[in-house]
Amino acid sequence: MQNVRMQTQNNSFLDGLRTIVGASHVLTDDLGFYELDWRKKYHGKALAVVKPANAGEISQIIKLCAAHRISIVPQAGHTSLVGGSVPNESGEQLVLNVARLNAIRAIDLVNNTMTVEAGCILQTVQETATAHDRLYPLSLAAEGSCQIGGNIGTNAGGVQVLRYGNTRELIMGIEVVLPSGEILESLRGLRKDNTGYDLKQLFIGAEGTLGIVTAAVLKLYPKPRATQTVIVGLQSPTAALKLLNLMRSHLAERLTAFELISALSLSLVLKHIPGQRAALADQFPWYVLLEANDSQSIAQLELAMQTALEEAFEAELIQDAVLSKNETEAKQFWGLRENITEAQTIESKNIKHDISVPISKIAEFIERTDALLEAKYPGVRIVNFGHLGDGNLHYNIAHPVATHTEASWFALYEEVNELVHDSVHHFGGSISAEHGIGQLKREQIKRYKSDTELKVMRAIKAALDPLGIMNPGKVI
Ligand code: 2HG
Ligand code: ZN
């Protein structure tokens, strides 16, 4: 009897959805793609997937959901690394996919802004900016499929944060549908606006728990005239930190990326990703991929880069360096960095960490945490790489082959997590630098955030989403 009643209720809910968006945009079969997260760690079950066309439709959907007490899982490009955009296993949550909101609404070349909808693919936005002789600097490995709505929801970072900041720094306005169904529209693109609380910041990084972002005003930069990409070989994270300082003193804000790659990380890319080849002839314990750009000529940039590298050689900070000769070669260099995630997935499952500590503490963090892990799990394989210039490491850990299988290693997931995150905490760091909390770290943040921080977060959530229908089970 209970089941029959639920079925009838669900049918009337689905009929309501079809009336709002049209029957072809309500999916109830073959939902596998929408239910499985990118890492294939979380396999949920959705009641349905709805694909609205605009904020007005989303507003109506949310009101319908509130009336039926059905919760909503917002989904954009579906590349979350923390299970933020997949439903739970109840079969009762609605996935709201924003892919159809994919218009570029406006470009203002004097204000240097682009107004885009949440379903725009990041790469399309980058290319549109380029076509207008501008730069939208957000850049990350998933850029060919991730969407702006997800970038905003997770406050995505990536490989140019050093120069241009996280997504948060690139958003000048936002349109968001609240859990009440009201549309909060603030797309004015103002560079100065001190009229009280900066509401857009609440929704950036909220992972869809406070509302559904439907559009945003993005900040554009002048398109650089010259870019140089370099890979260097060096002995230690300490040397890499000294190199970062030296590079900054020569290049200042022209330094856009400073990525650390361990020998093991690089070897996995060379082993598993077809078409990749080493940039340097010799092998080193560590590598740095760095990039700089200039709005003036390449000659000026080359001169500054040469001088900096010579000084680094003389100070014995680096042992080898190769500069990209052209864009194709620069892309090859980036391939060595951006394929690490893919390569390590092929090699074996990893216990992943996306951590940050103050930049000055990175080398100490690596030394201490490596030693703790090695002492407890001899032969452990640490796939360590990341955005050194931002103090952000992807400190991913694969099982010691002599003593563990993938399965027995994953049985230790929480224990290994705790060891690493306690070490992060010891250095005053964060257990999620740029991937978000999602489901993966929801329980763990309770250990590292203060009671007051959690209380304020819960108060905000309760104020905006009293029914708890917006992406429940994520973040808090
Ligand atoms: C990257 O920097 C991404 O490549 C993914 O943030 C990191 O796989 C990871 O842990
Ligand atoms: Zn990253």
Side-chain angles (χ1 to χ4, degrees):
M1 201 55 197
Q2 178 85 16
N3 274 349
V4 175
R5 188 155 0 109
M6 261 185 71
Q7 197 57 46
T8 316
Q9 273 173 11
N10 285 348
N11 285 344
S12 95
F13 172 72
L14 293 173
D15 284 344
L17 282 182
R18 291 185 187 107
T19 309
I20 297 167
V21 297
S24 61
H25 302 303
V26 179
L27 316 181
T28 50
D29 298 320
D30 297 329
L31 303 183
F33 167 79
Y34 305 93
E35 294 172 331
L36 183 64
D37 77 306
W38 187 88
R39 289 176 57 195
K40 301 188 172 55
K41 185 173 167 63
Y42 297 102
H43 198 169
K45 187 168 164 29
L47 171 61
V49 175
V50 64
K51 295 187 162 186
N54 52 52
E57 288 183 3
I58 294 179
S59 164
Q60 291 181 58
I61 293 169
I62 292 179
K63 286 179 185 159
L64 183 72
C65 286
H68 284 78
R69 296 291 191 273
I70 284 177
S71 58
I72 303 164
V73 180
Q75 190 176 84
H78 200 23
T79 58
S80 170
L81 292 166
V82 290
S85 63
V86 283
N88 64 19
E89 289 161 9
S90 67
E92 289 171 5
Q93 296 190 311
L94 176 70
V95 171
L96 192 153
N97 184 294
V98 297
R100 286 179 68 220
L101 284 85
N102 62 0
I104 295 193
R105 289 193 193 163
I107 299 178
D108 182 338
L109 296 180
V110 178
N111 200 36
N112 276 306
T113 50
M114 187 183 333
T115 307
V116 305
E117 296 187 343
C120 286
I121 290 175
L122 173 56
Q123 195 174 326
T124 310
V125 170
Q126 295 166 339
E127 286 167 2
T128 307
T130 303
H132 288 82
D133 200 28
R134 296 292 187 277
L135 173 76
Y136 181 60
L138 186 69
S139 176
L140 44 117
E143 64 198 20
S145 47
C146 68
Q147 296 168 9
I148 296 298
N151 296 160
I152 294 173
T154 56
N155 182 29
V159 293
Q160 302 225 64
V161 174
L162 182 59
R163 162 78 174 91
Y164 300 101
N166 293 289
T167 298
R168 196 180 290 287
E169 279 87 22
L170 303 172
I171 301 299
M172 291 176 57
I174 210 168
E175 176 188 87
V176 50
V177 188
L178 301 175
S180 62
E182 289 162 291
I183 301 174
L184 191 146
E185 205 262 50
S186 169
L187 292 171
R188 280 167 296 177
L190 301 176
R191 276 157 209 277
K192 289 193 160 184
D193 178 15
N194 274 355
T195 51
Y197 306 142
D198 189 357
L199 296 179
K200 66 177 177 297
Q201 297 301 346
L202 264 184
F203 302 94
I204 305 172
E207 302 183 42
T209 60
L210 300 178
I212 297 179
V213 173
T214 48
V217 182
L218 311 180
K219 192 189 279 185
L220 300 179
Y221 281 83
K223 186 152 177 48
R225 298 284 162 237
T227 302
Q228 274 218 310
T229 313
V230 182
I231 291 195
V232 304
L234 33 67
Q235 296 301 321
S236 66
T238 304
L241 279 179
K242 288 186 182 156
L243 179 68
L244 174 63
N245 250 342
L246 189 151
M247 283 292 159
R248 274 196 156 142
S249 70
H250 283 270
L251 294 159
E253 75 289 343
R254 288 179 292 178
L255 188 64
T256 56
F258 197 92
E259 299 285 312
L260 183 71
I261 304 172
S262 71
L264 177 58
S265 308
L266 180 68
S267 73
L268 295 179
V269 174
L270 299 176
K271 179 173 165 192
H272 292 296
I273 309 291
Q276 299 292 328
R277 55 190 159 79
L280 300 173
D282 294 327
Q283 290 182 15
F284 297 91
W286 296 90
Y287 303 86
V288 165
L289 189 165
L290 63 98
E291 194 163 87
N293 68 28
D294 200 316
S295 52
Q296 303 287 311
S297 69
I298 185 78
Q300 272 184 338
L301 182 61
E302 267 173 6
L303 185 65
M305 186 66 87
Q306 289 287 358
T307 315
L309 287 173
E310 274 163 30
E311 209 175 301
F313 272 115
E314 271 162 33
E316 296 182 4
L317 297 181
I318 60 175
Q319 280 70 52
D320 200 0
V322 55
L323 285 72
S324 67
K325 287 190 281 298
N326 48 44
E327 215 173 301
T328 316
E329 212 170 63
K331 278 209 176 95
Q332 278 167 7
F333 289 3
W334 274 109
L336 297 171
R337 163 64 184 84
E338 297 208 310
N339 280 301
I340 298 174
T341 299
E342 189 75 31
Q344 65 174 4
T345 309
I346 299 170
E347 173 78 7
S348 68
K349 280 166 85 182
N350 275 257
I351 300 185
K352 270 182 180 289
H353 305 92
D354 161 39
I355 63 97
S356 66
V357 293
I359 301 172
S360 48
K361 300 277 185 242
I362 281 250
E364 263 176 274
F365 166 81
I366 295 174
E367 206 174 304
R368 178 177 189 268
T369 319
D370 281 11
L372 288 171
L373 282 166
E374 181 56 38
K376 203 162 177 192
Y377 316 107
V380 69
R381 291 170 303 154
I382 304 168
V383 184
N384 187 0
F385 63 100
H387 318 286
L388 189 76
D390 314 322
N392 173 196
L393 293 176
H394 300 304
Y395 192 81
N396 299 335
I397 309 176
H399 62 284
V401 263
T403 49
H404 284 82
T405 60
E406 253 181 32
S408 74
W409 185 236
F410 266 68
L412 301 177
Y413 200 104
E414 276 157 28
E415 172 180 315
V416 174
N417 255 193
E418 203 164 290
L419 184 154
V420 173
H421 288 160
D422 281 358
S423 189
V424 169
H425 196 59
H426 174 86
F427 289 103
S430 165
I431 66 162
S432 181
E434 58 167 5
H435 296 166
I437 298 294
Q439 308 179 47
L440 186 68
K441 298 178 185 168
R442 190 195 57 215
E443 294 308 311
Q444 297 166 26
I445 59 162
K446 293 181 190 156
R447 186 173 164 92
Y448 303 104
K449 278 206 179 277
S450 71
D451 290 346
T452 314
E453 282 174 307
L454 290 169
K455 196 172 83 184
V456 173
M457 280 172 75
R458 288 192 191 110
I460 293 171
K461 170 75 176 168
L464 285 179
D465 183 20
L467 298 178
I469 55 170
M470 206 54 83
N471 217 6
K474 317 289 163 50
V475 186
I476 47 171

